[in-house]
PDB file of all heavy atoms in Angstrom:
ATOM      1  N   PHE Z  12      44.086  62.238  23.689  1.00 88.00           N
ATOM      2  CA  PHE Z  12      44.517  63.343  22.844  1.00 88.00           C
ATOM      3  C   PHE Z  12      45.791  62.944  22.131  1.00 88.00           C
ATOM      4  O   PHE Z  12      46.467  61.997  22.527  1.00 88.00           O
ATOM      5  CB  PHE Z  12      44.688  64.647  23.636  1.00 88.00           C
ATOM      6  CG  PHE Z  12      45.777  64.616  24.675  1.00 88.00           C
ATOM      7  CD1 PHE Z  12      47.041  65.115  24.395  1.00 88.00           C
ATOM      8  CD2 PHE Z  12      45.536  64.118  25.948  1.00 88.00           C
ATOM      9  CE1 PHE Z  12      48.038  65.098  25.354  1.00 88.00           C
ATOM     10  CE2 PHE Z  12      46.519  64.112  26.920  1.00 88.00           C
ATOM     11  CZ  PHE Z  12      47.788  64.606  26.610  1.00 88.00           C
ATOM     12  N   GLN Z  13      46.113  63.658  21.059  1.00 90.00           N
ATOM     13  CA  GLN Z  13      47.299  63.360  20.276  1.00 90.00           C
ATOM     14  C   GLN Z  13      48.341  64.446  20.458  1.00 90.00           C
ATOM     15  O   GLN Z  13      48.000  65.617  20.661  1.00 90.00           O
ATOM     16  CB  GLN Z  13      46.961  63.222  18.797  1.00 90.00           C
ATOM     17  CG  GLN Z  13      46.171  61.963  18.512  1.00 90.00           C
ATOM     18  CD  GLN Z  13      46.260  61.565  17.066  1.00 90.00           C
ATOM     19  OE1 GLN Z  13      46.291  62.403  16.182  1.00 90.00           O
ATOM     20  NE2 GLN Z  13      46.294  60.272  16.825  1.00 90.00           N
ATOM     21  N   ILE Z  14      49.595  64.018  20.394  1.00 87.00           N
ATOM     22  CA  ILE Z  14      50.733  64.935  20.424  1.00 87.00           C
ATOM     23  C   ILE Z  14      51.197  65.110  18.984  1.00 87.00           C
ATOM     24  O   ILE Z  14      51.377  64.121  18.264  1.00 87.00           O
ATOM     25  CB  ILE Z  14      51.896  64.351  21.258  1.00 87.00           C
ATOM     26  CG1 ILE Z  14      51.459  64.044  22.680  1.00 87.00           C
ATOM     27  CG2 ILE Z  14      53.100  65.268  21.219  1.00 87.00           C
ATOM     28  CD1 ILE Z  14      51.181  65.249  23.528  1.00 87.00           C
ATOM     29  N   ASN Z  15      51.378  66.337  18.552  1.00 87.00           N
ATOM     30  CA  ASN Z  15      51.883  66.632  17.218  1.00 87.00           C
ATOM     31  C   ASN Z  15      53.082  67.548  17.350  1.00 87.00           C
ATOM     32  O   ASN Z  15      52.957  68.764  17.346  1.00 87.00           O
ATOM     33  CB  ASN Z  15      50.793  67.290  16.363  1.00 87.00           C
ATOM     34  CG  ASN Z  15      49.637  66.354  16.116  1.00 87.00           C
ATOM     35  OD1 ASN Z  15      49.827  65.265  15.607  1.00 87.00           O
ATOM     36  ND2 ASN Z  15      48.442  66.754  16.508  1.00 87.00           N
ATOM     37  N   ASP Z  16      54.249  66.931  17.494  1.00 83.00           N
ATOM     38  CA  ASP Z  16      55.486  67.683  17.663  1.00 83.00           C
ATOM     39  C   ASP Z  16      56.174  67.906  16.325  1.00 83.00           C
ATOM     40  O   ASP Z  16      56.208  67.017  15.484  1.00 83.00           O
ATOM     41  CB  ASP Z  16      56.454  66.929  18.579  1.00 83.00           C
ATOM     42  CG  ASP Z  16      55.994  66.893  20.019  1.00 83.00           C
ATOM     43  OD1 ASP Z  16      55.346  67.849  20.457  1.00 83.00           O
ATOM     44  OD2 ASP Z  16      56.280  65.893  20.698  1.00 83.00           O
ATOM     45  N   PRO Z  17      56.756  69.083  16.146  1.00 81.00           N
ATOM     46  CA  PRO Z  17      57.593  69.280  14.961  1.00 81.00           C
ATOM     47  C   PRO Z  17      58.906  68.528  15.173  1.00 81.00           C
ATOM     48  O   PRO Z  17      59.198  68.068  16.269  1.00 81.00           O
ATOM     49  CB  PRO Z  17      57.812  70.793  14.957  1.00 81.00           C
ATOM     50  CG  PRO Z  17      57.696  71.191  16.388  1.00 81.00           C
ATOM     51  CD  PRO Z  17      56.698  70.250  17.005  1.00 81.00           C
ATOM     52  N   GLY Z  18      59.672  68.395  14.164  1.00 88.00           N
ATOM     53  CA  GLY Z  18      60.980  67.756  14.315  1.00 88.00           C
ATOM     54  C   GLY Z  18      60.932  66.262  14.144  1.00 88.00           C
ATOM     55  O   GLY Z  18      60.469  65.749  13.124  1.00 88.00           O
ATOM     56  N   CYS Z  19      61.386  65.538  15.155  1.00 90.00           N
ATOM     57  CA  CYS Z  19      61.560  64.088  15.068  1.00 90.00           C
ATOM     58  C   CYS Z  19      60.265  63.369  14.672  1.00 90.00           C
ATOM     59  O   CYS Z  19      60.287  62.486  13.816  1.00 90.00           O
ATOM     60  CB  CYS Z  19      62.091  63.541  16.394  1.00 90.00           C
ATOM     61  SG  CYS Z  19      62.510  61.794  16.326  1.00 90.00           S
ATOM     62  N   GLN Z  20      59.150  63.730  15.277  1.00 91.00           N
ATOM     63  CA  GLN Z  20      57.889  63.056  14.953  1.00 91.00           C
ATOM     64  C   GLN Z  20      57.563  63.214  13.476  1.00 91.00           C
ATOM     65  O   GLN Z  20      57.147  62.262  12.819  1.00 91.00           O
ATOM     66  CB  GLN Z  20      56.749  63.584  15.810  1.00 91.00           C
ATOM     67  CG  GLN Z  20      55.430  62.895  15.506  1.00 91.00           C
ATOM     68  CD  GLN Z  20      54.278  63.389  16.369  1.00 91.00           C
ATOM     69  OE1 GLN Z  20      54.412  64.336  17.140  1.00 91.00           O
ATOM     70  NE2 GLN Z  20      53.144  62.748  16.243  1.00 91.00           N
ATOM     71  N   GLN Z  21      57.741  64.410  12.953  1.00 92.00           N
ATOM     72  CA  GLN Z  21      57.436  64.654  11.547  1.00 92.00           C
ATOM     73  C   GLN Z  21      58.420  63.928  10.637  1.00 92.00           C
ATOM     74  O   GLN Z  21      58.042  63.391   9.603  1.00 92.00           O
ATOM     75  CB  GLN Z  21      57.439  66.154  11.259  1.00 92.00           C
ATOM     76  CG  GLN Z  21      56.437  66.933  12.097  1.00 92.00           C
ATOM     77  CD  GLN Z  21      55.029  66.385  11.990  1.00 92.00           C
ATOM     78  OE1 GLN Z  21      54.528  66.145  10.906  1.00 92.00           O
ATOM     79  NE2 GLN Z  21      54.385  66.175  13.120  1.00 92.00           N
ATOM     80  N   MET Z  22      59.688  63.882  11.032  1.00 91.00           N
ATOM     81  CA  MET Z  22      60.705  63.225  10.223  1.00 91.00           C
ATOM     82  C   MET Z  22      60.494  61.702  10.175  1.00 91.00           C
ATOM     83  O   MET Z  22      60.552  61.098   9.115  1.00 91.00           O
ATOM     84  CB  MET Z  22      62.094  63.530  10.781  1.00 91.00           C
ATOM     85  CG  MET Z  22      63.217  62.892   9.996  1.00 91.00           C
ATOM     86  SD  MET Z  22      64.838  63.280  10.674  1.00 91.00           S
ATOM     87  CE  MET Z  22      64.777  62.390  12.223  1.00 91.00           C
ATOM     88  N   VAL Z  23      60.213  61.105  11.329  1.00 95.00           N
ATOM     89  CA  VAL Z  23      60.057  59.651  11.404  1.00 95.00           C
ATOM     90  C   VAL Z  23      58.668  59.222  10.943  1.00 95.00           C
ATOM     91  O   VAL Z  23      58.516  58.233  10.240  1.00 95.00           O
ATOM     92  CB  VAL Z  23      60.352  59.141  12.835  1.00 95.00           C
ATOM     93  CG1 VAL Z  23      60.069  57.651  12.963  1.00 95.00           C
ATOM     94  CG2 VAL Z  23      61.789  59.453  13.215  1.00 95.00           C
ATOM     95  N   GLY Z  24      57.627  59.954  11.348  1.00 95.00           N
ATOM     96  CA  GLY Z  24      56.277  59.658  10.898  1.00 95.00           C
ATOM     97  C   GLY Z  24      55.404  58.882  11.863  1.00 95.00           C
ATOM     98  O   GLY Z  24      54.382  58.327  11.470  1.00 95.00           O
TER      99      GLY Z  24
END
Side-chain angles (χ1 to χ4, degrees):
F12 65 96
Q13 290 201 324
I14 302 290
N15 295 304
D16 290 328
C19 186
Q20 181 179 6
Q21 301 306 311
M22 180 180 68
V23 175

